[in-house]
Amino acid sequence: MTAQDLPQAAAASAPAARQGWLDRLKAGLRKTGSGIATVFTGTRIDEDLYEELEAALLMADTGVKATEHLLKDLRRRVKEAKVTDPAAVKGLLADAIADLLAPLQKTLVIGEHKPTVIMVAGVNGAGKTTSIGKLTRHMANEGASVLLAAADTFRAAAREQLAVWADRNTVEIITQQGGDPAAVSFDAVTAGKARGKDVVLVDTAGRLPTQLHLMEELRKIKRTIAKAGNDGDRSPAGPPQEGTAPSGGSVQREAGSVRAPMPHEVLLVIDGNTGQNALSQVKAFDDALSLTGLVITKLDGTAKGGVICAIAMERPVPVYFVGVGEKLEDLETFDAREFAQALLN
């Protein structure tokens, strides 16, 4: 089963759960999509429609490059389909957005390496620690054993918040008060290997990409994690483990057999409310850490959800999860077509 097939397979096995998520996604994207959808309420397909659509996409923080791409693609689709009804153009725009976002759709894989080490970064307030708690629940629900590393050592509230999530999910946590974040990360990876954990999730301190000394600290944490992994043996081979995740397929589990540099995943949590600033964050953190995936939160509180199109156009880092609320079930796997259709619903 490919990464792209997993969300559809999970939807087939749990249609009610996925439909519930789609309803929440549509509701969450209403602020972003309403301005775009109103463009198609007229009776003619003309230059005025395209100009209004351009303005609506830019207001949704789709970005200049992605907006130009989508308008060019949409004009082509309208011409080829010989569409005359503006309402039908909305469907073609959904197709264009889905195709633009398709390269971002990827499933988070765990079990290929044991432990799978996931480093999580993000600015303060993006929902990073809460997202880690939700990811932990997804993995624990599948039977994966998770170890949390509280490498945000200078903010007591962060350690306490992560400890609450560890308690809720009945998983172990490695923490120090006022310790060195890299040392905590090293200890966690070492403990994860020794205890046979499936996943080690490393929470890091929130910081702005302009805080260069703090960005260097993140690079140090990543180097230290790699060092902790270098002294381990090759993960034991075993029979393949077929796994599908509940309610949308959060992760795909595979048998561990290949040793690879740690961390295996470097995720950035970004706040959908920040619009084009989110794209700037992706670029800065990707330059510093070579990101492998994104978690986009708080899309229900913004009219700037179009920024995901800008990310696809200018820095196409895979999007593993999107969030539209505070509840556990409000963080789900990203599906390009679902997102496009929900946006224009």
Side-chain angles (χ1 to χ4, degrees):
M1 182 179 295
T2 67
Q4 288 77 11
D5 291 336
L6 191 62
Q8 286 80 3
S13 62
R18 196 65 183 182
Q19 184 58 49
W21 158 247
L22 289 177
D23 291 341
R24 291 192 298 276
L25 182 63
K26 290 175 183 177
L29 292 175
R30 189 170 293 132
K31 289 183 180 179
T32 298
S34 59
I36 301 174
T38 54
V39 173
F40 304 105
T41 57
T43 58
R44 298 176 58 184
I45 302 175
D46 52 19
E47 285 304 310
D48 288 341
L49 182 146
Y50 287 113
E51 287 181 9
E52 290 178 22
L53 179 57
E54 179 181 21
L57 289 171
L58 291 173
M59 286 294 291
D61 265 2
T62 301
V64 174
K65 291 182 180 179
T67 297
E68 290 177 349
H69 169 85
L70 287 172
L71 289 174
K72 181 178 179 181
D73 190 19
L74 180 62
R75 287 177 183 271
R76 176 187 62 81
R77 292 171 188 266
V78 169
K79 183 177 180 180
E80 290 179 355
K82 298 180 180 179
V83 169
T84 58
D85 181 6
V89 177
K90 184 169 73 170
L92 295 179
L93 177 60
D95 291 340
I97 292 174
D99 286 350
L100 175 62
L101 300 182
L104 302 186
Q105 184 178 322
K106 185 180 178 183
T107 301
L108 176 63
V109 176
I110 63 170
E112 184 177 351
H113 313 290
K114 189 168 182 175
T116 299
V117 180
I118 303 173
M119 177 180 172
V120 186
V123 304
N124 283 325
K128 174 173 53 66
T129 304
T130 299
S131 295
I132 289 174
K134 293 177 180 180
L135 291 176
T136 301
R137 176 62 65 86
H138 273 289
M139 295 172 185
N141 281 348
E142 292 181 16
S145 56
V146 181
L147 177 67
L148 298 179
D152 186 353
T153 59
F154 299 109
R155 194 166 65 95
R159 296 194 306 275
E160 293 169 0
Q161 186 181 9
L162 198 65
V164 169
W165 279 108
D167 184 60
R168 286 180 184 173
N169 295 315
T170 320
V171 301
E172 297 178 58
I173 183 171
I174 302 294
T175 183
Q176 294 179 11
Q177 183 173 353
D180 179 63
V184 174
S185 303
F186 186 94
D187 289 347
V189 173
T190 302
K193 292 192 297 182
R195 301 174 192 178
K197 298 297 183 182
D198 295 312
V199 180
V200 175
L201 266 170
V202 181
D203 185 19
T204 62
R207 72 274 326 276
L208 297 173
T210 53
Q211 297 171 307
L212 300 181
H213 64 294
L214 294 178
M215 292 296 281
E216 178 53 39
E217 183 183 87
L218 283 181
R219 285 189 282 265
K220 179 183 176 183
I221 291 173
K222 185 180 180 185
R223 291 193 301 268
T224 302
I225 291 173
K227 189 180 297 182
N230 285 338
D231 62 6
D233 296 325
R234 180 180 296 270
S235 300
Q241 301 179 39
E242 286 292 334
T244 56
S247 63
S250 60
V251 296
Q252 180 177 351
R253 300 195 65 194
E254 296 184 1
S257 59
V258 181
R259 183 178 172 187
M262 296 182 182
H264 306 106
E265 298 281 351
V266 181
L267 308 186
L268 178 68
V269 179
I270 55 177
D271 181 347
N273 285 290
T274 58
Q276 285 296 301
N277 190 40
L279 174 60
S280 299
Q281 291 175 25
V282 172
K283 290 179 178 179
F285 279 91
D286 190 32
D287 288 343
L289 299 172
S290 298
L291 299 173
T292 62
L294 304 176
V295 179
I296 304 178
T297 66
K298 307 180 184 180
L299 286 168
D300 55 316
T302 181
K304 301 179 179 181
V307 69
I308 195 170
C309 295
I311 291 171
M313 195 72 193
E314 299 185 48
R315 191 60 66 99
V317 177
V319 176
Y320 286 139
F321 294 88
V322 291
V324 291
E326 294 299 321
K327 297 179 181 178
L328 176 67
E329 60 269 23
D330 292 333
L331 183 74
E332 260 299 352
T333 44
F334 171 72
D335 181 284
R337 185 155 295 278
E338 287 179 356
F339 190 92
Q341 292 174 343
L343 183 65
L344 296 177
N345 181 62

